[in-house]
Amino acid sequence: MSNNIRQQSAEKLCVQRKRQVKKMEPYKLGEMEQKFADLIWESEPIPSGELAKVCEEAFGWKRTTTYTMLKRLCLRGIFENQSGMVRARMSREEFLAAQGEQFLEEHFDGSLPKFLTAFSRRRKLDSREIEELKKMIEEYEER
């Protein structure tokens, strides 16, 4: 196979992966993906070989399972594995914020007021929660 054909194949594979990531919901994690992500956030930066050992102890995973799961989360832009060192590309807090934004977008057309209206129909906010929300709004307005 010539270098040109290899390069075209590699580029085609890269485009296919990008399409797969777009189809994925990047901030929705399954139970084990979430546990794995939490483990990385608690341990990073961590060498990928050490991560595989930790996952074997914590989850009973084989090395290949760890790398498959890591690749999945790297494709979503949450982590990176460069030169065998695993690091977060987004903090846990940034991830949770993005997860919340995705939820609002999918279920409430991106509208926080619509979400709060739906939420407060099923559960009344207590006075402390109302004050916290007022304070958040005031702080936001001051920016």
Side-chain angles (χ1 to χ4, degrees):
M1 190 183 271
S2 72
N3 284 340
N4 191 25
I5 293 172
R6 281 189 193 123
Q7 184 177 359
Q8 288 174 348
S9 295
E11 289 172 2
K12 188 176 180 181
L13 182 61
C14 187
V15 169
Q16 288 172 341
R17 285 187 180 150
K18 286 181 181 178
R19 285 184 187 142
Q20 288 173 342
V21 170
K22 283 183 181 179
K23 288 180 184 176
M24 260 189 252
E25 294 171 314
Y27 306 115
K28 276 191 180 174
L29 301 182
E31 180 183 350
M32 290 311 296
E33 288 174 322
Q34 185 65 58
K35 288 180 181 183
F36 181 61
D38 289 337
L39 189 144
I40 295 173
W41 278 313
E42 291 167 10
S43 308
E44 61 115 3
I46 184 171
S48 58
E50 186 178 327
L51 179 61
K53 290 176 187 173
V54 170
C55 288
E56 182 180 3
E57 293 172 17
F59 309 127
W61 290 356
K62 295 183 182 198
R63 181 184 54 81
T64 53
T65 304
T66 298
Y67 287 117
T68 298
M69 188 73 79
L70 179 59
K71 185 176 182 180
R72 209 181 294 166
L73 297 185
C74 287
L75 283 171
R76 292 178 180 191
I78 302 168
F79 300 105
E80 66 182 7
N81 183 10
Q82 289 189 338
S83 303
M85 187 63 67
V86 178
R87 291 183 174 84
R89 291 188 67 202
M90 58 181 9
S91 69
R92 181 180 289 157
E93 292 74 22
E94 290 168 328
F95 174 78
L96 291 173
Q99 205 174 37
E101 289 170 12
Q102 181 179 319
F103 179 81
L104 281 176
E105 198 60 45
E106 289 174 3
H107 301 284
F108 297 95
D109 300 320
S111 171
L112 186 56
K114 284 182 183 179
F115 167 75
L116 289 173
T117 300
F119 180 82
S120 62
R121 280 189 189 130
R122 306 252 319 154
R123 180 182 169 276
K124 291 290 182 198
L125 298 174
D126 64 33
S127 59
R128 182 186 50 81
E129 291 170 321
I130 292 169
E131 287 305 313
E132 284 181 41
L133 287 171
K134 285 180 181 177
K135 184 179 176 186
M136 285 173 59
I137 292 168
E138 289 171 6
E139 288 173 1
Y140 182 79
E141 288 176 335
E142 290 174 2
R143 286 192 217 165

